Amino acid sequence: MKKPADMKQYPMEQAVDAVIIGTGAGGSPLLWKLATAGRSVVALEAGQWFEDPVSDFPTDELESPIYWKDERISGGADPTSFGANNSGKGVGGSMIHWGAYAPRPSAENLKLQSTDGVAVDWPMSLEDLKPTYEWLESFLGVSGPAQYPWDAERKYPLPPLPLNSSAIYMSVGCEALGIRVAHAPIAAVSQAYTRPEYGTRNGCVNRGYCHQGCRNGAKATMDVTFLPAALKAGAEIRSDSYVHGVERDSSGAITAVVYTDANGREQRQRCRAVFLCAGGVESPRQLLHWGIGNSSDQVGRNFMAHISTQVWATMKSETRPYKGFPASLITEDFLRAKDRPYAGGYLLQSYGILPVAWAEQVAAGRNLVGQALTDYLMQYNNVAGIGMHGDTLPNPENRVTLSDEKDQHGLAKPLVTFSLGKNENTMSDHAEDRMRRILMAAGGTDLWSSKRTAHTAGTCRMGTSAADSVVDPYGRSWDVPNLWIADNSVFPTSLAVNPALTIMALSLRTADKYLAN
């Protein structure tokens, strides 16, 4: 996205209506919504502005500049990985590298306490979010099947993307076992698509390097959807702006956001409201650093990462797993599996993978060395994979705290402590067994699994009581009257589906509530 020469620029000393911290799935819809409503709004983004997709998003796993690479100290029994796994940096946030998988949660997934007697219920229902999901699927240009087996009423605006090899084998195996599948709902346009808010985007060309940034605008990243529309409506985006503080008045309200600009100078943007949209690690880190919003002692607690175990198999025919959209098939048959020995559920999706990522997983998961490792790596063009995303239950001891180490800006580095519980391990074992059956039914041999986690959620949870949550059901801080949070940190539970669509839905819900006030 080119930086407009005529972008609105608000004076530092002028109190804007709102400062938004972060330009990902949480910040970008807010920026657009508030600017469109005529509010003066500035977005502060820690990363750079990517203006040329061809040069900024190389077809290269090692050279991509789009990940958040500042150190996060990861601990616990099952430390989760960051960087390319779940964290982006740049105008557009983590959405620049997201996989564009866009399923909705099930109604039960939002009500685990009511249905399964565990965790907590979300302070809203699926019906509350459904109109926003439908609008987002149209706005983003989600490609999907004509008939969705688990929701007969659902209609997607575009036909599905082609299946990659893993998806074809997954489909064959599932059919043999009586498991329903469908083309996955993917927020990438399968053909040219036009919206009045941002113009025309070209159809996906199946380049395969989706996690390294989309070169032609087919994938619904924020820099080709919400952000250009927000700029057109009068918003300002300041890139390379690292937030590290706030100023408050005698009532406790925030009056300014303090940040370091691209030249290393400290700046203060006066404001009447702040929207913190920095994600499941950086949002609690900022609140802990500022020392506000934590009367409930819940800031940083209940960190969650999806269980994302994968199973890989070798096929007789070439699969070329770098080709096509990485995850193009889905089954929701296990969101509420019969006779399940665990609470919650999971979905399964096909997996394509690039060669370096593949080699890293093999090195970590197969316990091969020397010639055996080399020989197996040479089978790359014949592998197919399936992966899960499953509920991770909130645990207050899984948390983000401030470490004793400082980063280059003088802020304490985040310490993320994370351990899976019995429920997660039981669910992972159940899913691994089903994935193995599917791949064997499709003719796969030499099967092995890779235990991993993905995404972040839950560290500034929303709720109906200030005693056990950080924000109310609309993302407003219980403690600071003009502070709102809109990102995956407000999730009370992880959900069993990819989080981006729900983050955007919550962001728009927060914007509507703010504007109504």
Side-chain angles (χ1 to χ4, degrees), residues 377-417:
L377 289 175
M378 294 303 293
Q379 297 180 34
Y380 167 71
N381 280 324
N382 288 76
V383 299
I386 304 174
M388 69 174 292
H389 281 320
D391 277 303
T392 295
L393 300 181
N395 177 349
E397 298 309 310
N398 286 336
R399 60 188 302 195
V400 176
T401 56
L402 299 181
S403 74
D404 295 330
E405 299 182 26
K406 304 292 184 181
D407 69 5
Q408 67 270 34
H409 301 281
L411 273 69
K413 295 177 182 178
L415 170 61
V416 184
T417 304

Side-chain angles (χ1 to χ4, degrees), residues 102-111 122 124-127 129-130 133 137 148 150-151 154 156 306 332 335-336 347 391 491 493-503 505:
R104 303 179 198 172
S106 67
E108 298 85 357
N109 212 207
L110 294 163
K111 302 293 181 182
W122 283 50
M124 65 199 68
S125 68
L126 181 62
E127 287 303 309
L129 294 174
K130 183 178 178 181
Y133 283 141
E137 288 160 357
Y148 202 67
W150 307 276
D151 184 356
R154 193 180 311 183
Y156 290 106
H306 277 133
E332 292 187 10
L335 280 181
R336 278 298 178 272
L347 61 76
D391 277 303
F491 284 24
T493 61
S494 69
L495 304 180
V497 299
N498 307 61
L501 191 70
T502 299
I503 298 171

Side-chain angles (χ1 to χ4, degrees), residues 71 90 101 144 146 172 212 215 274 322 385 396 434 463 502 506:
E71 185 180 23
Y101 219 67
V172 169
Q212 285 67 41
R215 282 183 156 188
V274 173
Y322 56 86
R434 272 55 182 182
T502 299
L506 293 178

Side-chain angles (χ1 to χ4, degrees), residues 287-288 291-301 399 459 466 469-470 477 479-480:
L287 289 182
L288 292 170
I292 64 175
N294 196 23
S295 63
S296 63
D297 189 36
Q298 292 300 305
V299 171
R301 293 191 182 274
R399 60 188 302 195
T459 48
S469 58
V470 178
S477 168
D479 299 349
V480 183

Side-chain angles (χ1 to χ4, degrees), residues 76-219:
D78 302 284
T80 193
S81 61
F82 294 103
N85 185 41
N86 52 24
S87 308
K89 191 175 187 180
V91 174
S94 296
M95 294 294 280
I96 296 174
H97 78 82
W98 79 308
Y101 219 67
R104 303 179 198 172
S106 67
E108 298 85 357
N109 212 207
L110 294 163
K111 302 293 181 182
L112 284 182
Q113 174 56 228
S114 296
T115 61
D116 291 40
V118 298
V120 293
D121 288 347
W122 283 50
M124 65 199 68
S125 68
L126 181 62
E127 287 303 309
D128 293 329
L129 294 174
K130 183 178 178 181
T132 309
Y133 283 141
E134 292 174 340
W135 183 88
L136 280 166
E137 288 160 357
S138 176
F139 177 80
L140 299 171
V142 174
S143 300
Q147 299 293 326
Y148 202 67
W150 307 276
D151 184 356
E153 297 180 357
R154 193 180 311 183
K155 303 297 178 186
Y156 290 106
L158 289 167
L161 290 166
L163 298 179
N164 63 5
S165 292
S166 286
I168 293 170
Y169 281 115
M170 177 177 165
S171 179
V172 169
C174 285
E175 182 178 1
L177 299 174
I179 300 169
R180 295 172 297 174
V181 295
H183 284 80
I186 296 172
V189 295
S190 55
Q191 59 194 40
Y193 191 68
T194 302
R195 288 283 305 197
E197 298 91 347
Y198 55 73
T200 299
R201 289 158 50 211
N202 295 318
C204 176
V205 296
N206 291 294
R207 167 172 160 254
Y209 281 72
C210 308
H211 294 291
Q212 285 67 41
C214 183
R215 282 183 156 188
N216 75 332
K219 191 173 72 168

